[in-house]
Amino acid sequence: MNHPCQCSPLGDSALLLSFGNQISPQINQKVHAAAERLRQARLDSVIELVPAYTTLTVYYDPCRITSGQPYEMIKEQVLNRLQNLESKKVGTGKLIEIPTCYDKEFAPDLEQVAKHCQLSPEEVIGLHTSATYDVYFLGFAPGFPFLGGMNKKLATPRLENPRQKIPAGSVGIAGEQTGVYPLATPGGWQLIGHTPISLVDFEKESPTLLKPGDKIRFKAISRSEHQEMETLR
Amino acid sequence: MSLTLLEPGMLTSVQDLGRFGFRNLGFSTNGAMDTLAAKTANLILDNPESAPVLEYTLTGPTLKFHEPAAICLTGGNPVATLDNQPVDSHTVISIQSGQILKIGSLRSGCRGYLAIKGGFQLRETLGSCSTYLRAGIGGLEGRALKENDQLKFTPMSSQESLKHEVSLGLEFTHYLEEPKSTLPVRFVRGPQFSWFSKQGLETFLNQPYSVRPDSDRMGYRLSGEKIVSQHSESLITEGATSGAIQIPPDGQPIILMSDCQPTGGYPKMGNIISVDLPRVAQLKPSDTLIFQEVSIEEAQQELIEQRFSLNRLSIAAKHYWKRIQDEYQ
């Protein structure tokens, strides 16, 4: 049998499927394709599936597996479903636009990032808005996307002293990553902009704007557009 | 039907068994730290085992009941009184309208639980009443409880109210062993087990580790002899779960707990087995623990046996409550 992944236990109630050992869109697509397969398989004992960069975690209830040794049973069931896995189709794969205001007021670290990257602030905004980013997975906090696809020219280290509170909607850069904060949290990201749209709504059945496997683009908006969108919320 | 918190206790919050199905969107599951204690309290009252309960830390709340109620205290062993009369854990405590239950400090353990027959009336957020402190959702207004908070609960049927004219003390403790804090904490190997040097493993398996004061519902931070890794590469962030034993570069283990993030970037030595995790949740700062490796087969067998013993408790409690009802018909 040709299995696309390695399988190991993550305690007695989860298993970890590993599809490779580097961060790449191709490997991450396999992760999402596997998640989709297993979602459709609706295995009785499976509680939930959590994708990450190169892995898919399958949480299950061993007490619901009544015959055989639970780990061996679930491993077999899962691996059987993942044969001949195609990596083409990725989740919903929706393209979502994040309107972002890069005005000074919302971008306390834009100058610093530009300086570090030896670019002008306009060039930073240009590079940041011209890429399409893959939502590799959500983690850290509700709705927080781990994005791939940032131009390496924008890579900037985190702040030496993290901020006590970063407002919800902040768009930032940390190392080779860019991201957007759905909730106000402490953090060390370099802040280069702010989106007026909300990324998480706990009252909705589907509480986050972004899903693993989506794609996003940042679209530059003016201060007045930002203000207008914020009042519409 | 309600009760008022005259004193909130320490980090008292509403928890159930957790919020599932949203970890792929970056959510924590939250939920009771000592899930066994939360389930036991509910089952003794013939509630669904996942009904919301109050979880407090080291010191319990003082509650004034405005209607009759039946409650059960589990978890750590508190100095508790009802109108100044001592009351026991792991038993049904019947409470009259106007009475005051004072749950003091814990004689043993770190977390106590209070379940109420019929259950608290709370609105679920995304399928759970568990308080998610970091996101400010669930429980009561997404926060820890404070003085003068009111909690509504489902009224009992008339027969059940009647029986509260007599105090009943049925011990269910013999169904579940008392947690033994001196036993080793068992774990199964994690995906990065082989990252650690022979010496690192020896340290991990033989040295005691103590609970640091900055441990909380997200994670238990331990201190002890440094665990050496022989792997120079860093881990690509991957899925994690409560009970995961992470070893950061400083070699001091962190055990992920109920409020942990669904993904993590530190290598995992292993995962504490589900039946032992409640014991870890009852460790206090400066308590020590020793790790012991077991097979996945043993871990799952233990969990299945625990399921059976909880099922037996549930049946016994159902019989008990049926008898109470029959007596007054």
Side-chain angles (χ1 to χ4, degrees):
Chain A
M1 264 191 281
N2 175 27
H3 295 310
C5 58
Q6 286 186 321
C7 179
S8 56
L10 204 61
D12 52 38
S13 303
L15 58 86
L16 187 77
L17 303 171
S18 180
F19 294 83
N21 48 20
Q22 55 188 358
I23 298 174
S24 80
Q26 292 76 25
I27 291 174
N28 188 249
Q29 282 170 18
K30 279 191 193 166
V31 172
H32 294 299
E36 188 52 33
R37 276 272 184 93
L38 294 178
R39 251 194 305 278
Q40 283 168 9
R42 294 176 173 276
L43 299 172
D44 273 351
S45 55
V46 171
I47 297 165
E48 56 190 318
L49 303 162
V50 177
Y53 285 118
T54 63
T55 59
L56 180 67
T57 307
V58 180
Y59 296 90
Y60 66 100
D61 180 357
C63 296
R64 280 193 231 161
I65 300 169
T66 46
S67 68
Q69 205 284 312
Y71 174 69
E72 292 302 327
M73 296 300 289
I74 185 82
K75 181 179 166 182
E76 194 186 316
Q77 288 174 10
V78 164
L79 293 181
N80 274 338
R81 299 295 193 292
L82 297 184
Q83 286 179 62
N84 311 315
L85 189 71
E86 290 165 42
S87 64
K88 272 178 285 180
K89 217 173 147 261
V90 182
T92 54
K94 260 194 310 186
L95 177 65
I96 293 164
E97 208 172 62
I98 311 282
T100 303
C101 181
Y102 295 89
D103 196 271
K104 251 189 185 154
E105 185 187 341
F106 303 113
D109 306 320
L110 181 58
E111 293 270 347
Q112 169 65 28
V113 170
K115 212 172 128 190
H116 180 270
C117 303
Q118 296 179 313
L119 298 165
S120 69
E122 291 69 32
E123 287 172 317
V124 170
I125 297 167
L127 288 175
H128 197 253
T129 51
S130 61
T132 301
Y133 303 91
D134 290 312
V135 178
Y136 280 145
F137 67 102
L138 305 181
F140 173 63
F144 187 95
F146 282 75
L147 301 174
M150 188 176 78
N151 192 313
K152 285 200 165 57
K153 286 182 193 160
L154 293 177
T156 313
R158 287 163 196 261
L159 297 177
E160 275 182 30
N161 295 307
R163 289 186 172 89
Q164 287 296 315
K165 200 170 189 181
I166 290 180
S170 296
V171 173
I173 289 176
E176 292 188 3
Q177 286 190 77
T178 184
V180 48
Y181 280 77
L183 298 170
T185 38
W189 291 49
Q190 307 268 5
L191 304 184
I192 60 162
H194 185 267
T195 179
I197 61 170
S198 52
L199 281 93
V200 60
D201 181 349
F202 297 112
E203 297 305 316
K204 284 188 181 159
E205 207 174 304
S206 177
T208 60
L209 176 69
L210 306 174
K211 304 277 178 298
D214 284 347
K215 290 181 185 300
I216 70 168
R217 283 181 78 91
F218 294 97
K219 185 192 170 209
I221 56 167
S222 67
R223 261 185 79 172
S224 58
E225 284 173 306
H226 181 280
Q227 202 170 7
E228 202 176 312
M229 294 176 89
E230 208 156 46
T231 46
L232 282 176
R233 258 173 72 174
Chain B
M1 300 285 156
S2 69
L3 59 84
T4 303
L5 273 85
L6 302 182
E7 287 172 51
M10 201 192 286
L11 192 64
T12 302
S13 67
V14 176
Q15 299 293 343
D16 52 25
L17 297 181
R19 184 173 287 105
F20 293 96
F22 298 95
R23 275 186 275 193
N24 65 330
L25 302 181
F27 284 64
S28 307
T29 63
N30 312 116
M33 291 277 280
D34 180 346
T35 47
L36 182 64
K39 288 176 187 176
T40 308
N42 276 321
L43 291 179
I44 286 173
L45 298 171
D46 194 24
N47 287 345
E49 69 178 13
S50 59
V53 297
L54 300 187
E55 176 186 283
Y56 60 88
T57 317
L58 295 169
T59 304
T62 300
L63 312 161
K64 179 163 184 165
F65 289 78
H66 306 298
E67 275 84 25
I71 63 136
C72 180
L73 303 174
T74 59
N77 186 17
V79 182
T81 59
L82 182 65
D83 281 355
N84 298 317
Q85 295 300 307
V87 287
D88 287 330
S89 297
H90 291 94
T91 185
V92 179
I93 302 171
S94 62
I95 295 175
Q96 312 284 343
S97 176
Q99 282 192 306
I100 292 173
L101 177 72
K102 185 174 168 56
I103 310 171
S105 51
L106 293 175
R107 283 181 285 233
S108 63
C110 185
R111 281 157 234 280
Y113 294 86
L114 180 150
I116 191 159
K117 179 142 179 78
F120 291 106
Q121 285 181 348
L122 290 157
R123 202 175 65 99
E124 287 185 350
T125 302
L126 300 170
S128 165
C129 289
S130 283
T131 308
Y132 192 166
L133 293 169
R134 273 182 88 206
I137 59 167
L140 194 69
E141 298 170 3
R143 58 169 171 80
L145 300 181
K146 54 186 194 208
E147 193 182 323
N148 293 324
D149 275 343
Q150 294 234 348
L151 286 168
K152 289 185 177 159
F153 54 86
T154 307
M156 290 183 299
S157 68
S158 56
Q159 290 92 342
E160 286 160 0
S161 304
L162 259 179
K163 76 115 189 121
H164 289 103
E165 289 167 13
V166 283
S167 181
L168 290 160
L170 185 69
E171 282 290 331
F172 286 98
T173 34
H174 60 277
Y175 285 94
L176 291 161
E177 285 173 44
E178 286 284 311
K180 293 181 187 70
S181 59
T182 50
L183 287 175
V185 171
R186 293 167 293 177
F187 73 97
V188 293
R189 277 176 195 212
Q192 292 86 37
F193 186 81
S194 63
W195 284 26
F196 298 92
S197 64
K198 195 163 172 261
Q199 185 209 335
L201 288 176
E202 223 155 82
T203 310
F204 180 71
L205 291 170
N206 294 301
Q207 297 300 317
Y209 285 86
S210 67
V211 176
R212 279 173 32 176
D214 54 349
S215 299
D216 59 18
R217 283 184 44 92
M218 275 179 81
Y220 263 51
R221 292 170 168 273
L222 307 180
S223 68
E225 208 167 305
K226 181 180 173 169
I227 295 153
V228 182
S229 167
Q230 58 185 5
H231 202 89
S232 53
E233 280 170 63
S234 58
L235 179 72
I236 298 173
T237 299
E238 62 179 33
T241 180
S242 61
I245 309 163
Q246 295 186 329
I247 314 288
D250 69 1
Q252 304 292 309
I254 300 171
I255 303 173
L256 298 184
M257 302 301 283
S258 301
D259 284 355
C260 72
Q261 296 159 19
T263 53
Y266 291 133
K268 290 175 281 288
M269 175 73 83
N271 265 79
I272 290 170
I273 70 173
S274 296
V275 295
D276 281 3
L277 196 57
R279 270 201 294 125
V280 175
Q282 291 296 353
L283 295 175
K284 299 184 292 294
S286 83
D287 283 350
T288 58
L289 75 161
I290 280 212
F291 294 103
Q292 182 187 32
E293 192 190 354
V294 292
S295 67
I296 177 104
E297 291 80 12
E298 185 177 342
Q300 295 189 324
Q301 192 52 43
E302 290 261 346
L303 186 58
I304 289 165
E305 276 164 26
Q306 185 184 72
R307 182 69 264 164
F308 287 145
S309 88
L310 285 169
N311 291 349
R312 284 195 297 275
L313 169 61
S314 171
I315 290 165
K318 276 182 198 308
H319 281 300
Y320 165 73
W321 286 100
K322 182 154 189 313
R323 208 174 67 228
I324 297 290
Q325 284 205 333
D326 290 348
E327 277 175 24
Y328 289 97
Q329 263 170 13

mmCIF file with all atom_site columns, all heavy atoms in Angstrom, chain A residues 106-121:
data_model
loop_
_atom_site.group_PDB
_atom_site.id
_atom_site.type_symbol
_atom_site.label_atom_id
_atom_site.label_alt_id
_atom_site.label_comp_id
_atom_site.label_asym_id
_atom_site.label_entity_id
_atom_site.label_seq_id
_atom_site.pdbx_PDB_ins_code
_atom_site.Cartn_x
_atom_site.Cartn_y
_atom_site.Cartn_z
_atom_site.occupancy
_atom_site.B_iso_or_equiv
_atom_site.pdbx_formal_charge
_atom_site.auth_seq_id
_atom_site.auth_comp_id
_atom_site.auth_asym_id
_atom_site.auth_atom_id
_atom_site.pdbx_PDB_model_num
ATOM 1   N N   . PHE A 1 106 ? -2.095 53.481 11.961 1.00 0.00 ? 106 PHE A N   1
ATOM 2   C CA  . PHE A 1 106 ? -2.284 52.056 12.224 1.00 0.00 ? 106 PHE A CA  1
ATOM 3   C C   . PHE A 1 106 ? -1.001 51.249 12.018 1.00 0.00 ? 106 PHE A C   1
ATOM 4   O O   . PHE A 1 106 ? -1.023 50.027 12.114 1.00 0.00 ? 106 PHE A O   1
ATOM 5   C CB  . PHE A 1 106 ? -3.366 51.492 11.289 1.00 0.00 ? 106 PHE A CB  1
ATOM 6   C CG  . PHE A 1 106 ? -4.679 52.199 11.409 1.00 0.00 ? 106 PHE A CG  1
ATOM 7   C CD1 . PHE A 1 106 ? -5.175 52.963 10.354 1.00 0.00 ? 106 PHE A CD1 1
ATOM 8   C CD2 . PHE A 1 106 ? -5.418 52.104 12.577 1.00 0.00 ? 106 PHE A CD2 1
ATOM 9   C CE1 . PHE A 1 106 ? -6.382 53.619 10.466 1.00 0.00 ? 106 PHE A CE1 1
ATOM 10  C CE2 . PHE A 1 106 ? -6.634 52.758 12.691 1.00 0.00 ? 106 PHE A CE2 1
ATOM 11  C CZ  . PHE A 1 106 ? -7.125 53.523 11.633 1.00 0.00 ? 106 PHE A CZ  1
ATOM 12  N N   . ALA A 1 107 ? 0.068  51.937 11.671 1.00 0.00 ? 107 ALA A N   1
ATOM 13  C CA  . ALA A 1 107 ? 1.279  51.218 11.276 1.00 0.00 ? 107 ALA A CA  1
ATOM 14  C C   . ALA A 1 107 ? 2.490  51.719 12.059 1.00 0.00 ? 107 ALA A C   1
ATOM 15  O O   . ALA A 1 107 ? 3.407  52.296 11.488 1.00 0.00 ? 107 ALA A O   1
ATOM 16  C CB  . ALA A 1 107 ? 1.491  51.368 9.775  1.00 0.00 ? 107 ALA A CB  1
ATOM 17  N N   . PRO A 1 108 ? 2.492  51.510 13.367 1.00 0.00 ? 108 PRO A N   1
ATOM 18  C CA  . PRO A 1 108 ? 3.578  52.066 14.184 1.00 0.00 ? 108 PRO A CA  1
ATOM 19  C C   . PRO A 1 108 ? 4.968  51.559 13.800 1.00 0.00 ? 108 PRO A C   1
ATOM 20  O O   . PRO A 1 108 ? 5.961  52.219 14.082 1.00 0.00 ? 108 PRO A O   1
ATOM 21  C CB  . PRO A 1 108 ? 3.215  51.633 15.611 1.00 0.00 ? 108 PRO A CB  1
ATOM 22  C CG  . PRO A 1 108 ? 2.255  50.492 15.464 1.00 0.00 ? 108 PRO A CG  1
ATOM 23  C CD  . PRO A 1 108 ? 1.525  50.750 14.169 1.00 0.00 ? 108 PRO A CD  1
ATOM 24  N N   . ASP A 1 109 ? 5.040  50.400 13.129 1.00 0.00 ? 109 ASP A N   1
ATOM 25  C CA  . ASP A 1 109 ? 6.359  49.825 12.826 1.00 0.00 ? 109 ASP A CA  1
ATOM 26  C C   . ASP A 1 109 ? 6.700  49.848 11.336 1.00 0.00 ? 109 ASP A C   1
ATOM 27  O O   . ASP A 1 109 ? 7.699  49.256 10.935 1.00 0.00 ? 109 ASP A O   1
ATOM 28  C CB  . ASP A 1 109 ? 6.433  48.380 13.342 1.00 0.00 ? 109 ASP A CB  1
ATOM 29  C CG  . ASP A 1 109 ? 6.085  48.272 14.817 1.00 0.00 ? 109 ASP A CG  1
ATOM 30  O OD1 . ASP A 1 109 ? 6.507  49.161 15.592 1.00 0.00 ? 109 ASP A OD1 1
ATOM 31  O OD2 . ASP A 1 109 ? 5.383  47.320 15.198 1.00 0.00 ? 109 ASP A OD2 1
ATOM 32  N N   . LEU A 1 110 ? 5.855  50.487 10.525 1.00 0.00 ? 110 LEU A N   1
ATOM 33  C CA  . LEU A 1 110 ? 6.083  50.468 9.075  1.00 0.00 ? 110 LEU A CA  1
ATOM 34  C C   . LEU A 1 110 ? 7.447  51.077 8.711  1.00 0.00 ? 110 LEU A C   1
ATOM 35  O O   . LEU A 1 110 ? 8.195  50.522 7.911  1.00 0.00 ? 110 LEU A O   1
ATOM 36  C CB  . LEU A 1 110 ? 4.945  51.198 8.343  1.00 0.00 ? 110 LEU A CB  1
ATOM 37  C CG  . LEU A 1 110 ? 5.031  51.254 6.811  1.00 0.00 ? 110 LEU A CG  1
ATOM 38  C CD1 . LEU A 1 110 ? 5.093  49.861 6.206  1.00 0.00 ? 110 LEU A CD1 1
ATOM 39  C CD2 . LEU A 1 110 ? 3.842  52.026 6.221  1.00 0.00 ? 110 LEU A CD2 1
ATOM 40  N N   . GLU A 1 111 ? 7.762  52.216 9.321  1.00 0.00 ? 111 GLU A N   1
ATOM 41  C CA  . GLU A 1 111 ? 9.048  52.882 9.055  1.00 0.00 ? 111 GLU A CA  1
ATOM 42  C C   . GLU A 1 111 ? 10.207 51.949 9.407  1.00 0.00 ? 111 GLU A C   1
ATOM 43  O O   . GLU A 1 111 ? 11.161 51.809 8.657  1.00 0.00 ? 111 GLU A O   1
ATOM 44  C CB  . GLU A 1 111 ? 9.161  54.144 9.931  1.00 0.00 ? 111 GLU A CB  1
ATOM 45  C CG  . GLU A 1 111 ? 8.165  55.242 9.575  1.00 0.00 ? 111 GLU A CG  1
ATOM 46  C CD  . GLU A 1 111 ? 8.739  56.197 8.532  1.00 0.00 ? 111 GLU A CD  1
ATOM 47  O OE1 . GLU A 1 111 ? 9.957  56.133 8.295  1.00 0.00 ? 111 GLU A OE1 1
ATOM 48  O OE2 . GLU A 1 111 ? 7.954  56.975 7.956  1.00 0.00 ? 111 GLU A OE2 1
ATOM 49  N N   . GLN A 1 112 ? 10.077 51.316 10.551 1.00 0.00 ? 112 GLN A N   1
ATOM 50  C CA  . GLN A 1 112 ? 11.118 50.416 11.056 1.00 0.00 ? 112 GLN A CA  1
ATOM 51  C C   . GLN A 1 112 ? 11.321 49.231 10.109 1.00 0.00 ? 112 GLN A C   1
ATOM 52  O O   . GLN A 1 112 ? 12.443 48.850 9.793  1.00 0.00 ? 112 GLN A O   1
ATOM 53  C CB  . GLN A 1 112 ? 10.687 49.952 12.466 1.00 0.00 ? 112 GLN A CB  1
ATOM 54  C CG  . GLN A 1 112 ? 11.488 48.814 13.045 1.00 0.00 ? 112 GLN A CG  1
ATOM 55  C CD  . GLN A 1 112 ? 12.929 49.214 13.290 1.00 0.00 ? 112 GLN A CD  1
ATOM 56  O OE1 . GLN A 1 112 ? 13.233 50.386 13.530 1.00 0.00 ? 112 GLN A OE1 1
ATOM 57  N NE2 . GLN A 1 112 ? 13.824 48.228 13.198 1.00 0.00 ? 112 GLN A NE2 1
ATOM 58  N N   . VAL A 1 113 ? 10.199 48.665 9.632  1.00 0.00 ? 113 VAL A N   1
ATOM 59  C CA  . VAL A 1 113 ? 10.264 47.536 8.695  1.00 0.00 ? 113 VAL A CA  1
ATOM 60  C C   . VAL A 1 113 ? 10.933 47.992 7.399  1.00 0.00 ? 113 VAL A C   1
ATOM 61  O O   . VAL A 1 113 ? 11.824 47.314 6.871  1.00 0.00 ? 113 VAL A O   1
ATOM 62  C CB  . VAL A 1 113 ? 8.853  46.955 8.425  1.00 0.00 ? 113 VAL A CB  1
ATOM 63  C CG1 . VAL A 1 113 ? 8.877  45.958 7.268  1.00 0.00 ? 113 VAL A CG1 1
ATOM 64  C CG2 . VAL A 1 113 ? 8.295  46.284 9.681  1.00 0.00 ? 113 VAL A CG2 1
ATOM 65  N N   . ALA A 1 114 ? 10.518 49.155 6.908  1.00 0.00 ? 114 ALA A N   1
ATOM 66  C CA  . ALA A 1 114 ? 11.076 49.684 5.662  1.00 0.00 ? 114 ALA A CA  1
ATOM 67  C C   . ALA A 1 114 ? 12.587 49.875 5.807  1.00 0.00 ? 114 ALA A C   1
ATOM 68  O O   . ALA A 1 114 ? 13.361 49.477 4.926  1.00 0.00 ? 114 ALA A O   1
ATOM 69  C CB  . ALA A 1 114 ? 10.399 50.999 5.307  1.00 0.00 ? 114 ALA A CB  1
ATOM 70  N N   . LYS A 1 115 ? 12.968 50.432 6.932  1.00 0.00 ? 115 LYS A N   1
ATOM 71  C CA  . LYS A 1 115 ? 14.383 50.684 7.181  1.00 0.00 ? 115 LYS A CA  1
ATOM 72  C C   . LYS A 1 115 ? 15.159 49.368 7.201  1.00 0.00 ? 115 LYS A C   1
ATOM 73  O O   . LYS A 1 115 ? 16.194 49.226 6.558  1.00 0.00 ? 115 LYS A O   1
ATOM 74  C CB  . LYS A 1 115 ? 14.532 51.412 8.528  1.00 0.00 ? 115 LYS A CB  1
ATOM 75  C CG  . LYS A 1 115 ? 15.703 52.361 8.589  1.00 0.00 ? 115 LYS A CG  1
ATOM 76  C CD  . LYS A 1 115 ? 15.645 53.172 9.878  1.00 0.00 ? 115 LYS A CD  1
ATOM 77  C CE  . LYS A 1 115 ? 16.977 53.086 10.606 1.00 0.00 ? 115 LYS A CE  1
ATOM 78  N NZ  . LYS A 1 115 ? 16.883 53.644 11.953 1.00 0.00 ? 115 LYS A NZ  1
ATOM 79  N N   . HIS A 1 116 ? 14.617 48.396 7.935  1.00 0.00 ? 116 HIS A N   1
ATOM 80  C CA  . HIS A 1 116 ? 15.283 47.097 8.048  1.00 0.00 ? 116 HIS A CA  1
ATOM 81  C C   . HIS A 1 116 ? 15.429 46.422 6.690  1.00 0.00 ? 116 HIS A C   1
ATOM 82  O O   . HIS A 1 116 ? 16.434 45.777 6.409  1.00 0.00 ? 116 HIS A O   1
ATOM 83  C CB  . HIS A 1 116 ? 14.525 46.197 9.018  1.00 0.00 ? 116 HIS A CB  1
ATOM 84  C CG  . HIS A 1 116 ? 15.160 44.848 9.180  1.00 0.00 ? 116 HIS A CG  1
ATOM 85  N ND1 . HIS A 1 116 ? 14.841 43.768 8.394  1.00 0.00 ? 116 HIS A ND1 1
ATOM 86  C CD2 . HIS A 1 116 ? 16.138 44.423 10.010 1.00 0.00 ? 116 HIS A CD2 1
ATOM 87  C CE1 . HIS A 1 116 ? 15.587 42.731 8.748  1.00 0.00 ? 116 HIS A CE1 1
ATOM 88  N NE2 . HIS A 1 116 ? 16.379 43.106 9.729  1.00 0.00 ? 116 HIS A NE2 1
ATOM 89  N N   . CYS A 1 117 ? 14.403 46.584 5.851  1.00 0.00 ? 117 CYS A N   1
ATOM 90  C CA  . CYS A 1 117 ? 14.405 45.899 4.550  1.00 0.00 ? 117 CYS A CA  1
ATOM 91  C C   . CYS A 1 117 ? 15.049 46.742 3.456  1.00 0.00 ? 117 CYS A C   1
ATOM 92  O O   . CYS A 1 117 ? 15.093 46.326 2.286  1.00 0.00 ? 117 CYS A O   1
ATOM 93  C CB  . CYS A 1 117 ? 12.980 45.545 4.136  1.00 0.00 ? 117 CYS A CB  1
ATOM 94  S SG  . CYS A 1 117 ? 12.129 44.521 5.338  1.00 0.00 ? 117 CYS A SG  1
ATOM 95  N N   . GLN A 1 118 ? 15.492 47.915 3.827  1.00 0.00 ? 118 GLN A N   1
ATOM 96  C CA  . GLN A 1 118 ? 16.084 48.862 2.873  1.00 0.00 ? 118 GLN A CA  1
ATOM 97  C C   . GLN A 1 118 ? 15.142 49.142 1.705  1.00 0.00 ? 118 GLN A C   1
ATOM 98  O O   . GLN A 1 118 ? 15.502 49.035 0.530  1.00 0.00 ? 118 GLN A O   1
ATOM 99  C CB  . GLN A 1 118 ? 17.445 48.348 2.387  1.00 0.00 ? 118 GLN A CB  1
ATOM 100 C CG  . GLN A 1 118 ? 18.438 48.276 3.541  1.00 0.00 ? 118 GLN A CG  1
ATOM 101 C CD  . GLN A 1 118 ? 19.791 47.757 3.125  1.00 0.00 ? 118 GLN A CD  1
ATOM 102 O OE1 . GLN A 1 118 ? 19.900 46.756 2.426  1.00 0.00 ? 118 GLN A OE1 1
ATOM 103 N NE2 . GLN A 1 118 ? 20.837 48.437 3.564  1.00 0.00 ? 118 GLN A NE2 1
ATOM 104 N N   . LEU A 1 119 ? 13.910 49.450 2.083  1.00 0.00 ? 119 LEU A N   1
ATOM 105 C CA  . LEU A 1 119 ? 12.873 49.806 1.110  1.00 0.00 ? 119 LEU A CA  1
ATOM 106 C C   . LEU A 1 119 ? 12.192 51.078 1.596  1.00 0.00 ? 119 LEU A C   1
ATOM 107 O O   . LEU A 1 119 ? 12.378 51.486 2.745  1.00 0.00 ? 119 LEU A O   1
ATOM 108 C CB  . LEU A 1 119 ? 11.820 48.692 1.029  1.00 0.00 ? 119 LEU A CB  1
ATOM 109 C CG  . LEU A 1 119 ? 12.260 47.299 0.571  1.00 0.00 ? 119 LEU A CG  1
ATOM 110 C CD1 . LEU A 1 119 ? 11.182 46.274 0.920  1.00 0.00 ? 119 LEU A CD1 1
ATOM 111 C CD2 . LEU A 1 119 ? 12.532 47.296 -0.929 1.00 0.00 ? 119 LEU A CD2 1
ATOM 112 N N   . SER A 1 120 ? 11.399 51.670 0.724  1.00 0.00 ? 120 SER A N   1
ATOM 113 C CA  . SER A 1 120 ? 10.583 52.795 1.187  1.00 0.00 ? 120 SER A CA  1
ATOM 114 C C   . SER A 1 120 ? 9.293  52.207 1.762  1.00 0.00 ? 120 SER A C   1
ATOM 115 O O   . SER A 1 120 ? 8.907  51.076 1.413  1.00 0.00 ? 120 SER A O   1
ATOM 116 C CB  . SER A 1 120 ? 10.253 53.727 0.021  1.00 0.00 ? 120 SER A CB  1
ATOM 117 O OG  . SER A 1 120 ? 9.355  53.068 -0.856 1.00 0.00 ? 120 SER A OG  1
ATOM 118 N N   . PRO A 1 121 ? 8.580  52.933 2.644  1.00 0.00 ? 121 PRO A N   1
ATOM 119 C CA  . PRO A 1 121 ? 7.304  52.420 3.173  1.00 0.00 ? 121 PRO A CA  1
ATOM 120 C C   . PRO A 1 121 ? 6.344  52.063 2.036  1.00 0.00 ? 121 PRO A C   1
ATOM 121 O O   . PRO A 1 121 ? 5.634  51.058 2.119  1.00 0.00 ? 121 PRO A O   1
ATOM 122 C CB  . PRO A 1 121 ? 6.769  53.590 3.998  1.00 0.00 ? 121 PRO A CB  1
ATOM 123 C CG  . PRO A 1 121 ? 7.981  54.351 4.414  1.00 0.00 ? 121 PRO A CG  1
ATOM 124 C CD  . PRO A 1 121 ? 8.964  54.210 3.282  1.00 0.00 ? 121 PRO A CD  1
#
